[in-house]
Each structure stands twice: as structure tokens, then as C-alpha cells.
Amino acid sequence: MLDLPPFAHCKLLTPRPSGSGVAPFFPVPTTPAGTHLPFHLFLFCTRTTLLIPIALAYFLVFSWLPIGSLGKKAVLWLILGIPGIWWIDIQVDGVKRGSLAKQHSSRVPQPGSIIASSFTSPIDALYLAAIFDPIFTASFPNTRKVQRISLLDAMLGALLPPHTSPPPSAQLLDLSSLLAQNPDRSVVVFPETTTTNGRGILPFSPSLLSAPPKTKIFPVSLRYTPADITTPLPHTYLSFLWNLCSKPTHCIRVRIAECTHNASASPSSPPPHRTLESARRNSYETNFLDVLAEQDMQRTGADANGDEVDGLRAEERKVLDKIAEALARLGRVKRVGLGVDEKIGFVRAWTRKKR
């Protein structure tokens, strides 16, 4: 093996697919404060002095008290408001602005539905909790079952290294069982299983395939301006806190797609014939060479004839593709073939480069 310097290793492991121009694991650079640095320091010191005690009070005290959903949401909105996250742009497919509450409440997640959310920042879970009061889950690349987690675990999960398999102590269950046990709550699934910088959609975990066939699945895309509060790299606690609390305001761009269903769970639906050409037309990888497209289909669980690969039937792959393409459309990004293994390799190379 060649004895390459650390920088060369980093270039070899940089997750940038040929022809896509997408690098979903690079941290988004922060705009230099320049002459406004004293003002940013003032905001950071003032906000962290308020934010940290209130956040600790919520997670250690209020979240365990019977104060009801409205009381908890009020505290969560306070946590969001302290660092300046009060500019929120919401848009729902097929709904005109200002008419959602009057005519189209069924087009947003309700109790008993599933939220398939993008995963870029700890703010994702915080915002979803403040709006929907859902149950959070952790997904893993090679299992259809999920682990039920708390809001704090979901937020910390955006700052921790990715996992290729569940922890030994994890109690796993499928989405059907979780929804049956909690019919008055919605369930959040992060199907990419690990965070990105918001510039690409990673291959999905098969966890969404354990949803009941009649359950509504809502793809929800969350993007931020400035985008430097995304956390594609693990253990970036201080930089995330600085970027969050030192800026005057932050905007959350929320896009909710029309609901879809897990048609593969219905025994009456025959598996559709999926050809390589049709798969290429329905993806965001039309600029790839044929051989690369075929390799990506084999990687993600369906071959050119629609046969079962890696435990996924063609109809199951179609369900995941539909949700992934909706998230890519909502976020105006591309789907990429990079998953947890590639991120682990990238983080290792990035860490070696920084030493």
C-alpha cells in the first residue's frame, strides 16, 4: 500500500460522486464576522446565558411534568426563539399560502401519521417537537425496525457519529407496533439515518417499509438560512452553538409534500416490473453513465429486472424512491449514492486531515 500523506487520503475518501458535484458531508463555512465580531460576541454571550439554563430546565424538569402538550410546546418555542429562530417559511404541496388552517388540515401530519424528515441539524427535532409533539425514532441502514428515542436523543443524534447497526442495548420495534401503541401521536423517522449539510439526500434505511399500508407518510424537508447550523460532522458542539447563537436571526424553510403510503405492505398489490431505463428516468441521477446507474441500483436494492436484491423487492424500492425523490424535490437537491459507510470513511479522513 502506498504511504500517502493525510491530505491525499482525504482527497481519496472525499464523498463526491462522479458527475454529481454533490458533497453532502462537508461542513458549511461560516461567513466571517469581520468588524461585527463584537456584536456577535455580545449576542453569543447573552443568548447562551439564557438558552443553556432554560434548555436544561426543560429536559431535566419540564419534560417530565404533566404540563400537557401546549405547555411543553411553549417552552420549546422559547428555546427556538432565544437564538433568533423566529422566521419560518412553511409551504405545503397543493395548498395556497394562508389557507392551510381553513381548508387543508389533512395535508399536514396528524396523529397516527409518519413524518419522513430530512436530517441536517439538532434543530430538526426541536422544531418538529414544537409543531407536532411527535414520537422520535432512530433508524439504521440494515434493519426495518426502529428504536424509540427521546427529543434529547434525537437532537444529540445529529451531533454524534453514525451507526451502521443498532446499539446492543437498543429495544427495536416496527413502525406498525409503535403506531398501534400510540394512536394519538405522530412518529418521526429520519430515513437517511445520519446528518448531511442539506445538499443531498442519502440512501434510505428500510425502516419506512414497516409502516402499515393505510398510514399516511409525509416527506418533510427542513432547510436553514444561514446553512452553517447544519451538523454533517460529529462532535461539532461548540461550532454549532456559536453559529446558532451569534447570528441575529435564522430562517427555517419548511416544505411538506403530499402524503404517500407504503403500498408494498399491501398483499394485493403485485410487484411492478422495474427496468433499468424506467429507474433512470425516475431518479435524480440522469447524468450518470449507464454503468454507474446500474451499480447504484444494485447498491440500493433493485437490479435491472426488478428482482429482489439485499432483501428489498422492486415494489419496496419504489416506495422508498418515491419518498426520497419527494425530499430531494422539496429541498431542491439531488439524491446521492453515499451512505453511512462513506460518511464514516469521510469523517475518519477529515479528522486525520485536521490533526
Side-chain angles (χ1 to χ4, degrees):
M1 181 178 294
L2 296 176
D3 187 16
L4 297 176
F7 182 74
H9 281 285
C10 181
K11 296 184 75 172
L12 289 173
L13 293 175
T14 295
R16 188 186 297 269
S18 175
S20 71
V22 179
F25 303 140
F26 279 103
V28 177
T30 302
T31 303
T35 57
H36 299 286
L37 180 59
F39 176 63
H40 288 203
L41 285 172
F42 170 77
L43 287 178
F44 177 78
C45 295
T46 303
R47 286 172 170 174
T48 52
T49 302
L50 296 173
L51 179 63
I52 294 177
I54 293 177
L56 290 176
Y58 175 81
F59 289 113
L60 297 179
V61 180
F62 291 109
S63 62
W64 302 98
L65 295 178
I67 60 176
S69 175
L70 290 178
K72 293 179 180 179
K73 287 183 178 181
V75 181
L76 291 175
W77 275 112
L78 179 61
I79 295 175
L80 284 170
I82 289 174
I85 306 177
W86 53 68
W87 182 23
I88 299 173
D89 176 25
I90 303 178
Q91 185 173 334
V92 181
D93 277 357
V95 178
K96 294 182 179 180
R97 294 182 183 272
S99 63
L100 179 61
K102 299 179 181 179
Q103 305 174 10
H104 303 282
S105 59
S106 61
R107 290 182 176 269
V108 297
Q110 301 287 334
S113 62
I114 295 175
I115 300 171
S117 174
S118 58
F119 197 21
T120 61
S121 170
I123 305 300
D124 297 340
L126 187 62
Y127 173 78
L128 293 173
I131 293 293
F132 301 110
D133 187 28
I135 294 172
F136 291 95
T137 63
S139 298
F140 304 94
N142 300 315
T143 177
R144 303 187 181 205
K145 294 187 175 183
V146 298
Q147 178 187 8
R148 180 173 180 174
I149 58 177
S150 65
L151 168 60
L152 181 60
D153 290 331
M155 294 176 64
L156 292 177
L159 293 164
L160 294 176
H163 298 282
T164 57
S165 59
S169 60
Q171 296 182 357
L172 303 180
L173 70 167
D174 54 39
L175 291 174
S176 298
S177 302
L178 187 58
L179 288 167
Q181 295 171 8
N182 303 273
D184 57 340
R185 304 277 298 277
S186 57
V187 175
V188 170
V189 176
F190 299 109
E192 295 173 279
T193 73
T194 187
T195 54
T196 68
N197 56 15
R199 297 175 178 173
I201 298 298
L202 307 184
F204 276 11
S205 161
S207 58
L208 288 171
L209 298 176
S210 67
K214 295 183 179 181
T215 298
K216 294 181 179 180
I217 303 175
F218 289 90
V220 177
S221 171
L222 302 172
R223 299 188 69 184
Y224 303 95
T225 305
D228 53 9
I229 60 173
T230 59
T231 55
L233 294 177
H235 304 308
T236 54
Y237 304 99
L238 293 180
S239 61
F240 167 72
L241 192 61
W242 168 259
N243 293 334
L244 179 66
C245 294
S246 64
K247 305 293 178 60
T249 60
H250 300 273
C251 174
I252 304 180
R253 178 180 174 272
V254 184
R255 297 293 183 266
I256 304 176
E258 293 185 359
C259 69
T260 184
H261 298 83
N262 180 18
S264 67
S266 175
S268 61
S269 57
H273 180 69
R274 179 189 177 102
T275 64
L276 178 60
E277 183 64 28
S278 64
R280 192 179 300 120
R281 286 197 303 266
N282 292 330
S283 72
Y284 278 76
E285 300 169 338
T286 54
N287 60 335
F288 275 49
L289 297 176
D290 290 352
V291 62
L292 294 179
E294 183 177 2
Q295 289 175 357
D296 182 67
M297 290 181 64
Q298 293 174 351
R299 170 196 180 89
T300 53
D303 64 6
N305 296 319
D307 297 330
E308 181 177 329
V309 177
D310 293 337
L312 294 181
R313 304 190 309 272
E315 58 186 17
E316 294 175 330
R317 173 54 51 190
K318 184 177 180 180
V319 171
L320 296 181
D321 282 343
K322 184 176 182 180
I323 300 172
E325 289 173 7
L327 278 181
R329 175 179 57 83
L330 294 175
R332 299 177 181 177
V333 296
K334 294 182 178 181
R335 296 173 60 190
V336 297
L338 305 169
V340 172
D341 291 334
E342 286 75 16
K343 179 171 179 177
I344 292 174
F346 174 76
V347 171
R348 188 182 301 116
W350 183 272
T351 305
R352 189 185 302 120
K353 172 187 174 183
K354 290 295 184 180
R355 290 176 182 173

